[in-house]
């Protein structure tokens, strides 16, 4: 599955991609159609990896119109295999067996051990895991990758491995504390930090995870934590530094800031905009427009999120066109929601700290807007 998946990722022609994916569907579709309700006749680790690989390839190729139908079938088959593992995430004894089945050097066992030790800071780590799993030559050392950059095929294998783990964490019920989305994102990030052009191939899988979290019928247990960590990773420099990756991210993220989106999701997205701006300053004007629109929302939670994000932008000195933004801040000083007024004051504070505004001017504005004498300390403390 890994080798066929790597081959597909390295192809450029859509027809060839569809052919390879068709072969994978034919092979692994037989597993799904013959699979019993138990996993006694099948390695759970194999199902975990195969299902994750199919989901990953389905997401990577989904933006290609000619591959859309095949991609959809691969995602459905992959999700079906992952769900058929049928293991409880709270059954510690069975989970231990899942990651150390028979003591065999299965790729998933090595990955789990690596993640438990937090051994994912360097891209050579997963390259060594892959090599140890598929190579029988004793003379091959795990970290020979340190001597040269990874080839395109090796980069594709590493990406496929990381994305497969991500889909497995979210879709399979075999998820454990040793294999959580935050750890897998760190794993993927170690690759993207060295090869940022692969970010655009990562985004569709993260979007798929986010949609799974927001789908009530998916039955996923850790919705809030996975939603937040996925949004944070989308806003990270690993993804946003690549122009194509930034375009894909913004196209999706901006759709979640509109009216009609659930408040919890919309406010969470707004809160990551400052991090996105820090990762790619070219997004500032788009982010500024979203914040300006959100600061006048009727929903107090949206106004709180927008004003807090504006304060973050001021804190990290990411604001431009302060003359326009200062008007937004002033309009929120007397907001009926105390938290909004608080963050408006915080934004003013950092604008002064970063020398965007003069302290005396801010004091005069506050006295005029709030109708108080800031020199009258007893009155203010009341």
């Amino acid at each position: 599955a890994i080798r066929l998946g790597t081959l597909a990722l390295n192809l450029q022609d859509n027809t060839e991609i569809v052919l390879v994916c068709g072969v994978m569907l034919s092979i692994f579709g037989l597993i799904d159609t013959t699979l019993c309700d138990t996993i006694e006749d099948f390695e759970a680790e194999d199902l975990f990896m195969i299902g994750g690989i199919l989901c990953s390839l389905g997401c990577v190729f989904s933006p290609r119109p000619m591959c859309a139908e095949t991609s959809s079938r691969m995602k459905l088959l992959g999700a079906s295999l992952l769900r058929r593992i049928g293991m409880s995430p709270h059954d510690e004894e069975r989970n231990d067996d899942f990651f150390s089945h028979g003591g065999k050097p299965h790729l998933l066992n090595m990955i789990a051990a690596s993640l438990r030790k937090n051994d994912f800071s360097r891209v050579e780590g997963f390259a060594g895991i892959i090599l140890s799993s598929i190579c029988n030559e004793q003379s091959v050392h795990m970290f020979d990758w340190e001597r040269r950059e990874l080839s395109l095929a090796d980069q594709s294998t590493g990406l496929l491995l990381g994305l497969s783990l991500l889909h497995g964490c979210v879709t399979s019920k075999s998820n454990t504390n040793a294999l959580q989305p935050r750890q897998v994102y760190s794993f993927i990030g170690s690759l993207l930090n060295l090869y940022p052009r692969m970010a655009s191939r990562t985004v569709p899988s993260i979007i798929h995870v986010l949609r799974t979290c927001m789908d009530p019928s998916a039955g996923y247990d850790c919705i809030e934590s996975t939603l937040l960590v996925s949004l944070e990773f989308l806003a990270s420099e690993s993804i946003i530094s690549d122009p194509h990756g930034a375009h894909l991210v913004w196209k999706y993220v901006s759709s979640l800031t509109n009216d009609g989106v659930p408040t919890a999701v919309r406010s969470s997205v707004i809160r990551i905009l400052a991090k996105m701006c820090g990762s790619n300053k070219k997004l500032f004007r788009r982010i500024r427009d979203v914040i300006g629109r959100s600061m006048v929302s009727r929903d107090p939670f949206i106004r709180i999120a927008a004003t807090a994000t504006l304060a973050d932008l001021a804190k990290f000195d990411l604001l431009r066109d302060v003359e326009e933004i200062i008007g937004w801040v002033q309009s929120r000083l007397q907001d009926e929601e105390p938290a909004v007024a608080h963050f408006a004051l915080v934004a003013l504070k950092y604008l002064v700290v970063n020398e965007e505004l003069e302290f005396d001017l801010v004091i005069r504005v506050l006295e005029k807007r709030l109708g108080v004498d800031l020199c009258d300390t007893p009155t203010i403390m009341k």
Side-chain angles (χ1 to χ4, degrees), residues 95-284:
N95 282 333
D96 289 340
D97 292 339
F98 178 77
F99 285 111
S100 58
H101 185 74
K104 297 179 181 179
H106 194 281
L107 176 60
L108 190 59
N109 301 340
M110 298 181 183
I111 295 168
S114 175
L115 290 173
R116 286 193 183 102
K117 298 176 182 178
N118 293 328
D119 183 22
F120 43 71
S121 59
R122 295 185 303 173
V123 70
E124 294 84 7
F126 69 72
I129 293 172
I130 297 169
L131 187 61
S132 296
S133 177
I134 65 177
C135 184
N136 296 321
E137 296 182 13
Q138 298 297 325
S139 60
V140 178
H141 299 288
M142 287 187 64
F143 297 107
D144 281 348
W145 306 109
E146 294 181 354
R147 302 176 185 176
R148 61 177 174 83
E149 293 185 358
L150 293 177
S151 66
L152 182 59
D154 294 331
Q155 294 175 38
S156 298
T157 302
L159 179 65
L160 183 60
L161 175 59
L163 296 180
S164 301
L165 292 174
L166 177 62
H167 287 286
C169 281
V170 175
T171 307
S172 172
K173 296 186 180 300
S174 61
N175 192 15
T176 71
N177 291 330
L179 196 61
Q180 292 294 318
R182 185 176 295 277
Q183 295 172 307
V184 178
Y185 281 132
S186 297
F187 190 76
I188 298 172
S190 66
L191 170 68
L192 299 183
N193 288 336
L194 295 180
Y195 306 102
R197 291 188 177 181
M198 304 194 74
S200 60
R201 289 191 153 190
T202 307
V203 174
S205 284
I206 304 175
I207 292 176
H208 179 81
V209 168
L210 287 167
R211 287 173 175 164
T212 300
C213 292
M214 291 184 280
D215 181 7
S217 64
Y220 185 55
D221 295 332
C222 305
I223 295 176
E224 294 83 2
S225 59
T226 302
L227 179 70
L228 292 176
V229 74
S230 298
L231 287 173
E232 288 176 1
F233 190 70
L234 272 185
S236 67
E237 191 172 352
S238 300
I239 298 290
I240 300 296
S241 61
D242 175 62
H244 191 197
H247 171 74
L248 294 175
V249 170
W250 183 255
K251 183 178 179 181
Y252 177 70
V253 166
S254 61
S255 68
L256 299 179
T257 63
N258 298 323
D259 294 334
V261 177
T263 298
V265 175
R266 187 180 175 190
S267 59
S268 298
V269 171
I270 292 172
R271 290 297 290 125
I272 68 166
L273 294 181
K275 184 176 181 179
M276 287 184 65
C277 187
S279 299
N280 189 335
K281 294 181 175 59
K282 293 181 179 179
L283 294 173
F284 170 76

